[in-house]
Amino acid sequence: AQQYYKQKDMDNASAFYLEAIGFEEDKEKKATLYMDLAKLYAAQGLKIESRQFAMDAMKADEGIAAEAYSFIGNLYMGSFDDCKKSQSQIDDRAVFMAAYDMFKNAGDQYGMSQAKAQFPTVSDVFTANKKEGDAIKVGCWINVQTTIRTRPSE
């Protein structure tokens, strides 16, 4: 699988990773294989599938949860341009709020600070007639619910 991945033959790499997962009995190795698949799918821009494999890695071995949550947080962070509709600053920046949730689950302080820096301002939230702490649905491929948050004032 790794040789095919290096050769950018993603179809064969994916097939061999899936086959290896089917045979693997060690939970840590199985989780690592799932994360390898998640990275392979992310490299192809297949974010829904990539997230699912990261979640499968956590199911296989909880010990990989921090890595998997940070990975998903980074998928979300990289989705701003794909997901923005340029109609609402709050809705567009909700991807960063969802990313923050994933980084928080991972205990990833750096990721949390990166996501927080992209939150809307207090005035953005006020202007949109919303409140910090309200629930907000993140659309696009992410399709999760999170909480409206603001970045610290400068």
Side-chain angles (χ1 to χ4, degrees):
Q2 291 173 343
Q3 290 301 320
Y4 282 118
Y5 183 78
K6 287 178 188 173
Q7 297 169 7
K8 307 251 188 267
D9 183 346
M10 301 306 190
D11 290 337
N12 277 320
S14 177
F16 278 98
Y17 277 125
L18 288 168
E19 188 174 342
I21 287 168
F23 288 119
E24 188 58 63
E25 293 181 16
D26 181 274
K27 68 179 188 173
E28 290 177 29
K29 289 180 182 176
K30 186 175 270 205
T32 299
L33 289 168
Y34 275 124
M35 283 305 299
D36 289 342
L37 262 175
K39 292 170 188 170
L40 181 145
Y41 277 84
Q44 296 177 81
L46 301 170
K47 294 176 181 176
I48 294 171
E49 295 85 348
S50 179
R51 174 180 58 190
Q52 185 57 56
F53 283 121
M55 290 178 163
D56 290 344
M58 287 187 275
K59 289 178 195 165
D61 180 17
E62 292 177 9
I64 205 162
E67 178 186 345
Y69 278 126
S70 283
F71 179 83
I72 295 168
N74 283 313
L75 282 177
Y76 291 176
M77 288 287 287
S79 294
F80 177 75
D81 288 334
D82 297 336
C83 294
K84 72 178 178 180
K85 294 181 182 172
S86 299
Q87 296 172 352
S88 164
Q89 183 78 248
I90 311 309
D91 291 337
D92 288 349
R93 296 199 169 268
V95 297
F96 299 116
M97 297 170 214
Y100 181 91
D101 294 340
M102 293 296 108
F103 291 130
K104 185 175 180 184
N105 288 341
D108 182 342
Q109 297 294 321
Y110 177 76
M112 289 167 65
S113 69
Q114 293 296 106
K116 192 177 215 173
Q118 299 302 318
F119 289 175
T121 64
V122 172
S123 64
D124 290 334
V125 173
F126 178 78
T127 302
N129 200 25
K130 299 188 187 252
K131 287 187 256 171
E132 190 169 3
D134 285 352
I136 187 168
K137 177 80 171 170
V138 183
C140 196
W141 72 270
I142 297 171
N143 200 30
V144 298
Q145 188 162 315
T146 189
T147 304
I148 295 176
R149 300 176 184 92
T150 58
R151 68 177 175 248
S153 300
E154 280 114 40

